[in-house]
Amino acid sequence: MDWPTFIQSISNAVILGSIYATVAVGLALAFGVMQMANFAHGEFFMAGAYVVYVFYALGGMPFPAAVISAFPVVAALGVVTERFVFRPTRGNVLAGFMATAGVAFILQVIVGQVWGVGLMRSVPTPYMGAASILGAQVSWQRLIILPSTLVMVGGLWFFLHRVKLGKALRACAQDVEAASLQGININKITALSMAISGGFAGVAGALMAPINAVTPYMGHSIIVTAFIVVIVGGMASIEGSILAAFILGFIHTFVTTLFDAVLATMAGVAFMAIILVVKPTGLLGRVRM
Amino acid sequence: MLLSVKEASVYFGKVSGIRDVSIDVEEGQIVALIGANGAGKSTTLRAISGLKQPSSGEIWFKGERIDDLSPEEITMRGIAHVPEGRRVFPYMTVKENLEMGAFSRKDKAGIARDLEGVFRHFPRLRERLTQAAGTMSGGEQQMLAMGRALMSDPTVVLMDEPSLGLSPILCQEIAKIIKEIHAEGRTVVLVEQNARLALSLAQKGYVLETGSVVLEDDAKALLENDKVRETYLGGSD
C-alpha cells in the first residue's frame, strides 16, 4: 500500500466510522433504556435517506435543510413505533424481537409501495469536488459527515451529562425501577430515547443519501454493522459504541482496500467474535451510559 | 391517618406476596414492619410506592386513594422509597444521584436547602460528590440512597432493610440518622429483619408472617411480647 492510498484509506475509515457511530449510538441508547434490540433501526436509517430523496431531490429543499429535517421526521417515526409496537412488548425479549423485525419489513414495504422497489432513487450530489488532505482526495460530500457526527455525538454527550432530562435518561438505563422512584416518568423517557435514537439513524441515512444507493432495503447492510458495533462496544455503552464504530470503520476500509468487501465484512464479524471471547461484556461493557 | 393500607393483597402469578394486609401510619410516627425473609415486608412497601399494584384492597395517603397511581406520581405526592439493596445509579456520580432524587422539583432554593440537609446527615457524601456511586462501600451507598430519597423533600420515607449487610457500628449510625430524619418531622415506615433495631426506633410495629399481619402493637409492647422475643429477638434473654 503506497502513501497516498494509505492516507486515502485512513480518511475513508474515519468517515465510515463516523456514520457507524451515528447509527450505533442511537441503537445503544435505545437498548440501554428499553433493553430491547431494535431490528428496525436500519429502516430508520433508510427512512432518513428517503427524507432527503423526497425533500431535496424531489422537493428542491436545500440539502442541509433536508438533512436536518430528517431528524424530527425519523424521531417521530421512532416515537410512534415505541408507543404502538415496543411498549406493548416491553419485558418480553422474543416478542420484542418479532415486533421490531416486523416493523422493519413493514417500513420496507410501505416505502417500496410509495416510491417503487426496482431502480435505486438517485439523489444528486449537492457538494461537488473534493478536498485534498495530505495527498488524499476526500469528496466534500463525505467530508461533511465528520463535523455532522461531531456535533451530534457532542450534543448527545452534553445532553446526557449536563441536562437534567438527559441524566434521567441515563438513570433509566442504569436502574429503571429506582428511576421511577425518583419521580421520573419512564414512558416519557422511553419515548425520548426512541426519538433520539430514530433521529440519529435518520440523519445518518440522510447524509448517506447522495453517496449510497437509496432503496427500501438499504437498511440491511447498516443494521448488521450497527449491531456488531454495539455488541463490541458493550450493548448499552455510548462511549463503547463510538470506539467500536471507528475500529470497525478502519477494519472495513482497510480490508476492503487490501482485499475485498466480502472479506471486510467477515473480518468485522471475526473481530466481534474475538472480542466476545476475550471480553464478553464488550470493550466498555461495564459502563452503562 | 396520614397513610393507610387497607386489606391490600399482591399476587406474583398465582403466589400471593401479601394477603389482606392493613397498616395505619400516623403523621410523625416511625412504624416498623418486622418479620422473616419472604414475609411480605418489602412487598408491602412496593405496593405503597406503586412499584407493584395491589390486586385488591386500597391504599390511602393524605386523604386520597393512591393505589392506582404510578410510582413517579406517588413520589411527587410525598412518599419516598429507599429500596432494598440501595439501588443507587452506579455509573452516576454522588451529585447526580442526589440530583435525580429532586428530579420532579422546580424550587431551586428548596433543593439547595435540602442538599445541605443531606450533607448534614451524611457529611461523607459531600466529600464523595464526584465519585461514581457504584464504586462506594455498602454503607456509603446506603447513605446515598437515603440522601437521594430525602432530596424529594418527602412527607413519608419508606426504608427497606437499611441495615442489611452493614457492620454493627454502621447500623448504629444508620439508626441515629433515621432518628434525625424523624426529628425533622418526617414520617418513617421501616422494614427490617433486625427487629430489635427497628422496634427500638419505632413507636408502632407490625409483625408479618407469610404475607399477613399477625400482630400489631406499640413498639415497646412488641419488644416485651414473648412470642416476638422468642421468634425475632433471639430468645428470651
Side-chain angles (χ1 to χ4, degrees), chain A residues 160-165 167-172 174-187 189 285-289, chain B residues 46 49 51 71-72 75-76 79-81 83 87-93 95-97 99-106 111 148-149:
Chain A
L160 291 177
H161 292 267
R162 293 286 179 271
V163 179
K164 192 163 98 171
L165 196 60
K167 292 178 189 179
L169 198 152
R170 282 164 61 218
C172 284
Q174 291 172 27
D175 190 330
V176 69
E177 200 173 84
S180 74
L181 289 177
Q182 313 313 318
I184 297 168
N185 183 325
I186 304 305
N187 285 336
I189 295 291
R286 299 240 173 264
V287 187
R288 293 181 58 91
M289 295 199 196
Chain B
R46 292 171 67 82
S49 63
L51 290 175
E72 66 264 19
T75 303
M76 283 185 243
I79 299 180
H81 185 165
R87 306 283 291 272
V88 295
F89 302 116
Y91 306 109
M92 295 178 101
T93 64
K95 187 162 179 274
E96 287 173 328
N97 267 275
E99 215 179 308
M100 287 298 105
F103 179 78
S104 51
R105 293 175 68 183
K106 302 269 182 283
I111 294 173
R148 183 179 64 179

Short mmCIF file of all heavy atoms in Angstrom, two decimals, chain A residues 160-165 167-172 174-187 189 285-289, chain B residues 46 49 51 71-72 75-76 79-81 83 87-93 95-97 99-106 111 148-149:
data_model
loop_
_atom_site.label_atom_id
_atom_site.label_comp_id
_atom_site.label_asym_id
_atom_site.label_seq_id
_atom_site.Cartn_x
_atom_site.Cartn_y
_atom_site.Cartn_z
N LEU A 160 -26.76 14.17 27.83
CA LEU A 160 -26.80 13.07 28.80
C LEU A 160 -26.08 13.40 30.10
O LEU A 160 -26.39 12.84 31.14
CB LEU A 160 -26.18 11.80 28.19
CG LEU A 160 -26.96 11.13 27.07
CD1 LEU A 160 -26.19 9.94 26.52
CD2 LEU A 160 -28.33 10.68 27.55
N HIS A 161 -25.08 14.31 30.02
CA HIS A 161 -24.27 14.55 31.21
C HIS A 161 -24.47 15.92 31.85
O HIS A 161 -24.03 16.15 32.96
CB HIS A 161 -22.78 14.35 30.88
CG HIS A 161 -22.44 12.93 30.59
ND1 HIS A 161 -21.99 12.06 31.55
CD2 HIS A 161 -22.54 12.20 29.46
CE1 HIS A 161 -21.81 10.86 31.02
NE2 HIS A 161 -22.13 10.93 29.74
N ARG A 162 -25.13 16.83 31.13
CA ARG A 162 -25.25 18.18 31.67
C ARG A 162 -26.70 18.65 31.83
O ARG A 162 -26.96 19.63 32.50
CB ARG A 162 -24.51 19.18 30.78
CG ARG A 162 -23.00 19.01 30.76
CD ARG A 162 -22.37 19.51 32.05
NE ARG A 162 -20.91 19.32 32.06
CZ ARG A 162 -20.33 18.21 32.51
NH1 ARG A 162 -21.05 17.20 32.98
NH2 ARG A 162 -19.02 18.10 32.49
N VAL A 163 -27.62 17.97 31.19
CA VAL A 163 -29.03 18.38 31.24
C VAL A 163 -29.79 17.38 32.13
O VAL A 163 -29.55 16.18 32.06
CB VAL A 163 -29.64 18.41 29.82
CG1 VAL A 163 -31.11 18.82 29.86
CG2 VAL A 163 -28.85 19.36 28.93
N LYS A 164 -30.64 17.92 32.98
CA LYS A 164 -31.33 17.08 33.95
C LYS A 164 -32.10 15.94 33.28
O LYS A 164 -32.04 14.78 33.71
CB LYS A 164 -32.29 17.93 34.81
CG LYS A 164 -32.82 17.22 36.03
CD LYS A 164 -33.40 18.20 37.04
CE LYS A 164 -34.88 18.28 36.88
NZ LYS A 164 -35.54 19.04 37.96
N LEU A 165 -32.81 16.26 32.19
CA LEU A 165 -33.59 15.24 31.49
C LEU A 165 -32.69 14.15 30.92
O LEU A 165 -33.03 12.96 30.94
CB LEU A 165 -34.40 15.92 30.37
CG LEU A 165 -35.55 15.11 29.77
CD1 LEU A 165 -36.56 14.75 30.83
CD2 LEU A 165 -36.20 15.91 28.65
N LYS A 167 -29.79 13.28 32.14
CA LYS A 167 -29.32 12.46 33.27
C LYS A 167 -30.40 11.47 33.67
O LYS A 167 -30.10 10.32 34.03
CB LYS A 167 -28.96 13.36 34.45
CG LYS A 167 -27.74 14.23 34.20
CD LYS A 167 -27.46 15.12 35.40
CE LYS A 167 -26.39 16.14 35.06
NZ LYS A 167 -26.11 17.05 36.19
N ALA A 168 -31.65 11.90 33.60
CA ALA A 168 -32.75 11.00 33.93
C ALA A 168 -32.78 9.82 32.95
O ALA A 168 -33.10 8.70 33.33
CB ALA A 168 -34.08 11.75 33.90
N LEU A 169 -32.43 10.11 31.70
CA LEU A 169 -32.37 9.04 30.70
C LEU A 169 -31.29 8.02 31.08
O LEU A 169 -31.51 6.81 31.02
CB LEU A 169 -32.09 9.66 29.34
CG LEU A 169 -32.39 8.83 28.09
CD1 LEU A 169 -32.73 9.75 26.93
CD2 LEU A 169 -31.24 7.94 27.72
N ARG A 170 -30.13 8.52 31.53
CA ARG A 170 -29.08 7.60 31.99
C ARG A 170 -29.54 6.83 33.22
O ARG A 170 -29.27 5.64 33.36
CB ARG A 170 -27.82 8.39 32.33
CG ARG A 170 -27.01 8.78 31.09
CD ARG A 170 -26.00 9.86 31.43
NE ARG A 170 -25.04 9.43 32.43
CZ ARG A 170 -24.56 10.24 33.40
NH1 ARG A 170 -24.95 11.48 33.48
NH2 ARG A 170 -23.69 9.78 34.25
N ALA A 171 -30.25 7.51 34.11
CA ALA A 171 -30.74 6.85 35.32
C ALA A 171 -31.64 5.68 34.93
O ALA A 171 -31.54 4.59 35.51
CB ALA A 171 -31.49 7.85 36.21
N CYS A 172 -32.51 5.89 33.95
CA CYS A 172 -33.40 4.81 33.50
C CYS A 172 -32.60 3.65 32.92
O CYS A 172 -32.96 2.49 33.11
CB CYS A 172 -34.37 5.31 32.43
SG CYS A 172 -35.70 6.28 33.11
N GLN A 174 -29.70 2.75 33.83
CA GLN A 174 -28.94 2.08 34.88
C GLN A 174 -29.84 1.30 35.84
O GLN A 174 -29.46 0.25 36.34
CB GLN A 174 -28.09 3.10 35.66
CG GLN A 174 -26.97 3.64 34.80
CD GLN A 174 -26.21 4.79 35.45
OE1 GLN A 174 -26.16 4.88 36.67
NE2 GLN A 174 -25.63 5.64 34.64
N ASP A 175 -31.02 1.82 36.14
CA ASP A 175 -31.93 1.13 37.05
C ASP A 175 -33.32 1.75 36.88
O ASP A 175 -33.64 2.77 37.47
CB ASP A 175 -31.46 1.27 38.50
CG ASP A 175 -32.25 0.35 39.43
OD1 ASP A 175 -33.43 0.08 39.15
OD2 ASP A 175 -31.68 -0.09 40.45
N VAL A 176 -34.11 1.10 36.04
CA VAL A 176 -35.37 1.71 35.64
C VAL A 176 -36.33 1.84 36.83
O VAL A 176 -37.04 2.84 36.97
CB VAL A 176 -35.99 0.95 34.45
CG1 VAL A 176 -36.49 -0.42 34.85
CG2 VAL A 176 -37.10 1.76 33.80
N GLU A 177 -36.32 0.84 37.73
CA GLU A 177 -37.24 0.90 38.86
C GLU A 177 -36.85 2.01 39.84
O GLU A 177 -37.69 2.79 40.28
CB GLU A 177 -37.23 -0.46 39.57
CG GLU A 177 -38.44 -0.70 40.42
CD GLU A 177 -38.45 -2.12 40.96
OE1 GLU A 177 -37.80 -2.37 42.00
OE2 GLU A 177 -39.09 -2.98 40.34
N ALA A 178 -35.55 2.08 40.12
CA ALA A 178 -35.08 3.14 41.00
C ALA A 178 -35.37 4.51 40.38
O ALA A 178 -35.69 5.47 41.08
CB ALA A 178 -33.59 2.99 41.28
N ALA A 179 -35.27 4.60 39.05
CA ALA A 179 -35.56 5.87 38.38
C ALA A 179 -37.02 6.26 38.59
O ALA A 179 -37.33 7.42 38.87
CB ALA A 179 -35.24 5.76 36.89
N SER A 180 -37.92 5.29 38.48
CA SER A 180 -39.34 5.62 38.66
C SER A 180 -39.61 6.09 40.09
O SER A 180 -40.50 6.91 40.33
CB SER A 180 -40.22 4.41 38.31
OG SER A 180 -40.15 3.43 39.32
N LEU A 181 -38.80 5.61 41.05
CA LEU A 181 -38.98 6.04 42.44
C LEU A 181 -38.47 7.47 42.67
O LEU A 181 -38.72 8.05 43.72
CB LEU A 181 -38.25 5.09 43.39
CG LEU A 181 -38.86 3.70 43.55
CD1 LEU A 181 -38.00 2.85 44.47
CD2 LEU A 181 -40.28 3.79 44.11
N GLN A 182 -37.75 8.03 41.70
CA GLN A 182 -37.30 9.42 41.84
C GLN A 182 -38.28 10.39 41.18
O GLN A 182 -37.99 11.57 41.03
CB GLN A 182 -35.91 9.62 41.22
CG GLN A 182 -34.88 8.57 41.60
CD GLN A 182 -34.85 8.29 43.08
OE1 GLN A 182 -34.92 9.20 43.91
NE2 GLN A 182 -34.78 7.02 43.45
N GLY A 183 -39.42 9.87 40.74
CA GLY A 183 -40.40 10.74 40.09
C GLY A 183 -40.15 10.90 38.60
O GLY A 183 -40.68 11.81 37.97
N ILE A 184 -39.33 10.01 38.03
CA ILE A 184 -39.06 10.07 36.59
C ILE A 184 -40.11 9.24 35.85
O ILE A 184 -40.32 8.07 36.20
CB ILE A 184 -37.63 9.53 36.30
CG1 ILE A 184 -36.58 10.42 36.97
CG2 ILE A 184 -37.38 9.45 34.80
CD1 ILE A 184 -35.18 9.85 36.99
N ASN A 185 -40.75 9.86 34.87
CA ASN A 185 -41.79 9.16 34.11
C ASN A 185 -41.13 8.26 33.06
O ASN A 185 -40.56 8.74 32.08
CB ASN A 185 -42.71 10.19 33.45
CG ASN A 185 -43.86 9.53 32.72
OD1 ASN A 185 -43.72 8.46 32.14
ND2 ASN A 185 -45.01 10.19 32.75
N ILE A 186 -41.22 6.96 33.28
CA ILE A 186 -40.48 6.01 32.44
C ILE A 186 -40.97 6.04 30.99
O ILE A 186 -40.18 5.98 30.05
CB ILE A 186 -40.62 4.57 33.01
CG1 ILE A 186 -40.15 4.53 34.46
CG2 ILE A 186 -39.82 3.57 32.17
CD1 ILE A 186 -38.76 5.04 34.70
N ASN A 187 -42.28 6.16 30.80
CA ASN A 187 -42.81 6.18 29.43
C ASN A 187 -42.30 7.38 28.65
O ASN A 187 -41.98 7.28 27.47
CB ASN A 187 -44.34 6.18 29.44
CG ASN A 187 -44.88 4.80 29.79
OD1 ASN A 187 -44.20 3.80 29.59
ND2 ASN A 187 -46.08 4.76 30.33
N ILE A 189 -39.46 8.97 29.18
CA ILE A 189 -38.03 8.78 28.91
C ILE A 189 -37.83 7.77 27.78
O ILE A 189 -36.96 7.94 26.92
CB ILE A 189 -37.30 8.31 30.19
CG1 ILE A 189 -37.34 9.41 31.26
CG2 ILE A 189 -35.86 7.90 29.88
CD1 ILE A 189 -36.53 10.63 30.95
N GLY A 285 -18.13 -2.58 28.30
CA GLY A 285 -19.44 -3.11 28.69
C GLY A 285 -19.86 -2.79 30.11
O GLY A 285 -21.05 -2.78 30.42
N ARG A 286 -18.91 -2.52 30.98
CA ARG A 286 -19.29 -2.28 32.38
C ARG A 286 -19.81 -0.86 32.59
O ARG A 286 -20.41 -0.56 33.60
CB ARG A 286 -18.11 -2.55 33.30
CG ARG A 286 -17.62 -3.97 33.22
CD ARG A 286 -17.72 -4.67 34.56
NE ARG A 286 -17.39 -6.08 34.44
CZ ARG A 286 -18.30 -7.03 34.30
NH1 ARG A 286 -19.57 -6.74 34.28
NH2 ARG A 286 -17.94 -8.29 34.19
N VAL A 287 -19.55 -0.01 31.61
CA VAL A 287 -20.03 1.37 31.75
C VAL A 287 -21.36 1.49 31.01
O VAL A 287 -21.41 1.45 29.79
CB VAL A 287 -19.03 2.37 31.15
CG1 VAL A 287 -19.44 3.79 31.45
CG2 VAL A 287 -17.64 2.09 31.68
N ARG A 288 -22.43 1.59 31.74
CA ARG A 288 -23.73 1.76 31.10
C ARG A 288 -24.08 3.24 31.12
O ARG A 288 -24.59 3.74 32.09
CB ARG A 288 -24.80 0.96 31.83
CG ARG A 288 -24.61 -0.55 31.69
CD ARG A 288 -25.71 -1.26 32.43
NE ARG A 288 -27.01 -0.88 31.91
CZ ARG A 288 -27.62 -1.53 30.93
NH1 ARG A 288 -27.06 -2.56 30.40
NH2 ARG A 288 -28.79 -1.12 30.49
N MET A 289 -23.83 3.91 30.05
CA MET A 289 -24.15 5.34 29.90
C MET A 289 -23.61 6.16 31.05
O MET A 289 -24.32 6.67 31.88
CB MET A 289 -25.65 5.55 29.79
CG MET A 289 -26.17 4.92 28.54
SD MET A 289 -27.75 5.58 28.11
CE MET A 289 -28.29 4.35 26.97
N ARG B 46 -43.48 -1.97 48.44
CA ARG B 46 -43.56 -1.81 46.98
C ARG B 46 -44.99 -1.50 46.54
O ARG B 46 -45.19 -0.79 45.55
CB ARG B 46 -43.05 -3.08 46.28
CG ARG B 46 -41.55 -3.29 46.47
CD ARG B 46 -41.10 -4.65 45.97
NE ARG B 46 -41.24 -4.77 44.53
CZ ARG B 46 -40.33 -4.32 43.66
NH1 ARG B 46 -39.24 -3.74 44.10
NH2 ARG B 46 -40.51 -4.45 42.38
N SER B 49 -45.47 2.31 47.32
CA SER B 49 -44.79 3.25 46.41
C SER B 49 -45.19 3.03 44.95
O SER B 49 -44.68 3.72 44.08
CB SER B 49 -43.28 3.16 46.57
OG SER B 49 -42.83 1.88 46.22
N LEU B 51 -44.76 0.41 42.96
CA LEU B 51 -43.97 -0.48 42.11
C LEU B 51 -44.74 -1.75 41.80
O LEU B 51 -44.50 -2.41 40.79
CB LEU B 51 -42.64 -0.83 42.80
CG LEU B 51 -41.63 0.30 42.91
CD1 LEU B 51 -40.42 -0.13 43.73
CD2 LEU B 51 -41.19 0.79 41.54
N PRO B 71 -45.54 4.93 40.14
CA PRO B 71 -44.53 5.26 41.14
C PRO B 71 -44.11 6.73 41.11
O PRO B 71 -43.91 7.34 42.16
CB PRO B 71 -43.36 4.35 40.77
CG PRO B 71 -43.93 3.24 39.99
CD PRO B 71 -45.15 3.77 39.31
N GLU B 72 -43.97 7.29 39.88
CA GLU B 72 -43.50 8.69 39.84
C GLU B 72 -44.55 9.65 40.40
O GLU B 72 -44.21 10.64 41.05
CB GLU B 72 -43.04 9.08 38.44
CG GLU B 72 -44.10 9.14 37.37
CD GLU B 72 -44.16 7.85 36.56
OE1 GLU B 72 -43.65 6.81 37.02
OE2 GLU B 72 -44.75 7.88 35.47
N THR B 75 -44.35 9.34 44.19
CA THR B 75 -43.18 10.06 44.67
C THR B 75 -43.46 11.56 44.75
O THR B 75 -43.13 12.21 45.74
CB THR B 75 -41.98 9.82 43.73
OG1 THR B 75 -41.75 8.41 43.63
CG2 THR B 75 -40.73 10.50 44.24
N MET B 76 -44.11 12.08 43.71
CA MET B 76 -44.37 13.53 43.68
C MET B 76 -45.36 13.95 44.76
O MET B 76 -45.37 15.10 45.17
CB MET B 76 -44.89 13.94 42.30
CG MET B 76 -43.77 14.02 41.28
SD MET B 76 -44.38 14.65 39.72
CE MET B 76 -44.09 13.30 38.63
N ILE B 79 -44.16 10.57 48.95
CA ILE B 79 -43.69 9.31 49.52
C ILE B 79 -42.39 8.93 48.83
O ILE B 79 -42.36 8.76 47.62
CB ILE B 79 -44.72 8.18 49.33
CG1 ILE B 79 -46.03 8.53 50.03
CG2 ILE B 79 -44.17 6.85 49.85
CD1 ILE B 79 -47.11 7.48 49.90
N ALA B 80 -41.30 8.84 49.60
CA ALA B 80 -40.02 8.44 49.02
C ALA B 80 -39.72 7.02 49.49
O ALA B 80 -40.00 6.66 50.63
CB ALA B 80 -38.91 9.39 49.46
N HIS B 81 -39.16 6.23 48.60
CA HIS B 81 -38.89 4.83 48.88
C HIS B 81 -37.38 4.59 48.77
O HIS B 81 -36.80 4.81 47.71
CB HIS B 81 -39.67 3.99 47.86
CG HIS B 81 -39.59 2.50 48.09
ND1 HIS B 81 -40.45 1.63 47.48
CD2 HIS B 81 -38.80 1.75 48.87
CE1 HIS B 81 -40.16 0.38 47.87
NE2 HIS B 81 -39.15 0.45 48.71
N PRO B 83 -35.13 1.79 48.37
CA PRO B 83 -35.38 0.37 48.11
C PRO B 83 -34.35 -0.56 48.74
O PRO B 83 -33.24 -0.13 49.09
CB PRO B 83 -35.34 0.29 46.58
CG PRO B 83 -34.54 1.45 46.14
CD PRO B 83 -34.67 2.51 47.19
N ARG B 87 -29.89 0.36 45.51
CA ARG B 87 -30.30 0.72 44.15
C ARG B 87 -29.91 2.14 43.77
O ARG B 87 -30.71 2.87 43.18
CB ARG B 87 -31.81 0.52 43.99
CG ARG B 87 -32.28 -0.87 44.37
CD ARG B 87 -31.97 -1.89 43.31
NE ARG B 87 -32.77 -1.69 42.13
CZ ARG B 87 -33.99 -2.22 41.96
NH1 ARG B 87 -34.52 -2.97 42.91
NH2 ARG B 87 -34.65 -2.02 40.86
N VAL B 88 -28.70 2.54 44.11
CA VAL B 88 -28.21 3.83 43.61
C VAL B 88 -27.88 3.66 42.13
O VAL B 88 -27.76 2.54 41.64
CB VAL B 88 -26.95 4.30 44.39
CG1 VAL B 88 -27.29 4.57 45.82
CG2 VAL B 88 -25.83 3.27 44.28
N PHE B 89 -27.77 4.76 41.38
CA PHE B 89 -27.40 4.67 39.97
C PHE B 89 -25.89 4.52 39.90
O PHE B 89 -25.15 5.48 40.15
CB PHE B 89 -27.89 5.91 39.22
CG PHE B 89 -29.37 6.11 39.33
CD1 PHE B 89 -29.90 7.22 39.98
CD2 PHE B 89 -30.25 5.16 38.81
CE1 PHE B 89 -31.27 7.39 40.10
CE2 PHE B 89 -31.62 5.31 38.93
CZ PHE B 89 -32.13 6.43 39.57
N PRO B 90 -25.39 3.31 39.58
CA PRO B 90 -23.98 3.01 39.83
C PRO B 90 -22.98 3.81 39.01
O PRO B 90 -21.89 4.09 39.48
CB PRO B 90 -23.88 1.51 39.48
CG PRO B 90 -25.04 1.22 38.61
CD PRO B 90 -26.13 2.17 39.04
N TYR B 91 -23.37 4.19 37.76
CA TYR B 91 -22.42 4.90 36.91
C TYR B 91 -22.64 6.40 36.94
O TYR B 91 -22.11 7.14 36.14
CB TYR B 91 -22.49 4.37 35.47
CG TYR B 91 -22.32 2.88 35.43
CD1 TYR B 91 -23.39 2.04 35.13
CD2 TYR B 91 -21.11 2.31 35.75
CE1 TYR B 91 -23.23 0.66 35.12
CE2 TYR B 91 -20.93 0.93 35.75
CZ TYR B 91 -22.01 0.13 35.44
OH TYR B 91 -21.84 -1.23 35.45
N MET B 92 -23.46 6.85 37.87
CA MET B 92 -23.63 8.29 38.03
C MET B 92 -22.88 8.71 39.29
O MET B 92 -22.70 7.92 40.21
CB MET B 92 -25.12 8.63 38.16
CG MET B 92 -25.88 8.33 36.89
SD MET B 92 -27.64 8.67 37.06
CE MET B 92 -27.72 10.23 36.24
N THR B 93 -22.49 9.97 39.31
CA THR B 93 -21.77 10.44 40.49
C THR B 93 -22.74 10.61 41.65
O THR B 93 -23.96 10.58 41.47
CB THR B 93 -21.10 11.80 40.21
OG1 THR B 93 -22.13 12.75 39.96
CG2 THR B 93 -20.17 11.74 39.01
N LYS B 95 -23.27 13.29 43.22
CA LYS B 95 -24.01 14.52 42.97
C LYS B 95 -25.20 14.27 42.04
O LYS B 95 -26.31 14.73 42.29
CB LYS B 95 -23.07 15.56 42.37
CG LYS B 95 -23.65 16.93 42.21
CD LYS B 95 -22.53 17.95 42.03
CE LYS B 95 -23.09 19.34 41.83
NZ LYS B 95 -23.42 19.60 40.41
N GLU B 96 -24.94 13.51 40.96
CA GLU B 96 -26.01 13.22 40.01
C GLU B 96 -27.11 12.38 40.64
O GLU B 96 -28.30 12.60 40.38
CB GLU B 96 -25.44 12.50 38.78
CG GLU B 96 -24.62 13.40 37.87
CD GLU B 96 -23.92 12.64 36.74
OE1 GLU B 96 -23.55 11.45 36.95
OE2 GLU B 96 -23.74 13.22 35.68
N ASN B 97 -26.72 11.43 41.48
CA ASN B 97 -27.72 10.63 42.18
C ASN B 97 -28.64 11.51 43.02
O ASN B 97 -29.86 11.35 43.01
CB ASN B 97 -27.03 9.59 43.08
CG ASN B 97 -26.83 8.26 42.38
OD1 ASN B 97 -27.72 7.41 42.36
ND2 ASN B 97 -25.66 8.07 41.80
N GLU B 99 -29.16 14.66 42.59
CA GLU B 99 -29.93 15.49 41.68
C GLU B 99 -31.17 14.74 41.18
O GLU B 99 -32.26 15.30 41.06
CB GLU B 99 -29.02 15.81 40.48
CG GLU B 99 -29.21 17.17 39.87
CD GLU B 99 -28.23 17.35 38.72
OE1 GLU B 99 -27.02 17.12 38.91
OE2 GLU B 99 -28.69 17.70 37.64
N MET B 100 -31.01 13.45 40.90
CA MET B 100 -32.14 12.64 40.44
C MET B 100 -33.21 12.53 41.53
O MET B 100 -34.40 12.49 41.23
CB MET B 100 -31.67 11.23 40.05
CG MET B 100 -30.90 11.18 38.76
SD MET B 100 -31.87 11.72 37.34
CE MET B 100 -31.19 13.33 37.02
N GLY B 101 -32.78 12.52 42.78
CA GLY B 101 -33.75 12.48 43.88
C GLY B 101 -34.69 13.66 43.85
O GLY B 101 -35.84 13.57 44.26
N ALA B 102 -34.19 14.80 43.36
CA ALA B 102 -35.01 16.01 43.29
C ALA B 102 -35.56 16.21 41.89
O ALA B 102 -35.93 17.33 41.52
CB ALA B 102 -34.16 17.21 43.70
N PHE B 103 -35.67 15.14 41.09
CA PHE B 103 -35.98 15.26 39.68
C PHE B 103 -37.24 16.08 39.40
O PHE B 103 -37.27 16.94 38.54
CB PHE B 103 -36.13 13.88 39.03
CG PHE B 103 -36.48 13.95 37.57
CD1 PHE B 103 -35.51 14.24 36.64
CD2 PHE B 103 -37.78 13.76 37.14
CE1 PHE B 103 -35.82 14.33 35.29
CE2 PHE B 103 -38.10 13.85 35.80
CZ PHE B 103 -37.13 14.13 34.86
N SER B 104 -38.29 15.80 40.14
CA SER B 104 -39.58 16.43 39.79
C SER B 104 -39.77 17.80 40.44
O SER B 104 -40.81 18.41 40.29
CB SER B 104 -40.73 15.50 40.17
OG SER B 104 -40.57 15.09 41.51
N ARG B 105 -38.75 18.27 41.16
CA ARG B 105 -38.90 19.57 41.85
C ARG B 105 -38.40 20.72 41.00
O ARG B 105 -37.45 20.58 40.23
CB ARG B 105 -38.13 19.54 43.17
CG ARG B 105 -38.70 18.58 44.16
CD ARG B 105 -37.84 18.51 45.38
NE ARG B 105 -37.86 19.75 46.15
CZ ARG B 105 -37.12 19.93 47.24
NH1 ARG B 105 -36.31 18.98 47.65
NH2 ARG B 105 -37.20 21.06 47.89
N LYS B 106 -39.05 21.88 41.17
CA LYS B 106 -38.64 23.06 40.41
C LYS B 106 -38.03 24.14 41.32
O LYS B 106 -37.36 25.04 40.85
CB LYS B 106 -39.84 23.66 39.67
CG LYS B 106 -40.51 22.69 38.71
CD LYS B 106 -39.92 22.77 37.31
CE LYS B 106 -40.63 21.83 36.36
NZ LYS B 106 -40.21 20.42 36.56
N ILE B 111 -34.32 22.99 46.84
CA ILE B 111 -33.42 21.88 46.51
C ILE B 111 -32.06 22.12 47.17
O ILE B 111 -31.48 21.22 47.77
CB ILE B 111 -33.28 21.73 44.98
CG1 ILE B 111 -34.62 21.29 44.36
CG2 ILE B 111 -32.20 20.70 44.64
CD1 ILE B 111 -34.63 21.27 42.84
N ARG B 148 -30.69 10.48 48.66
CA ARG B 148 -31.42 10.66 47.41
C ARG B 148 -32.92 10.74 47.69
O ARG B 148 -33.63 11.58 47.12
CB ARG B 148 -31.11 9.49 46.47
CG ARG B 148 -31.74 9.57 45.12
CD ARG B 148 -31.35 8.39 44.25
NE ARG B 148 -31.84 7.11 44.78
CZ ARG B 148 -31.64 5.93 44.20
NH1 ARG B 148 -30.94 5.84 43.10
NH2 ARG B 148 -32.12 4.82 44.74
N ALA B 149 -33.40 9.86 48.59
CA ALA B 149 -34.83 9.89 48.93
C ALA B 149 -35.20 11.21 49.60
O ALA B 149 -36.26 11.79 49.32
CB ALA B 149 -35.16 8.72 49.85
#
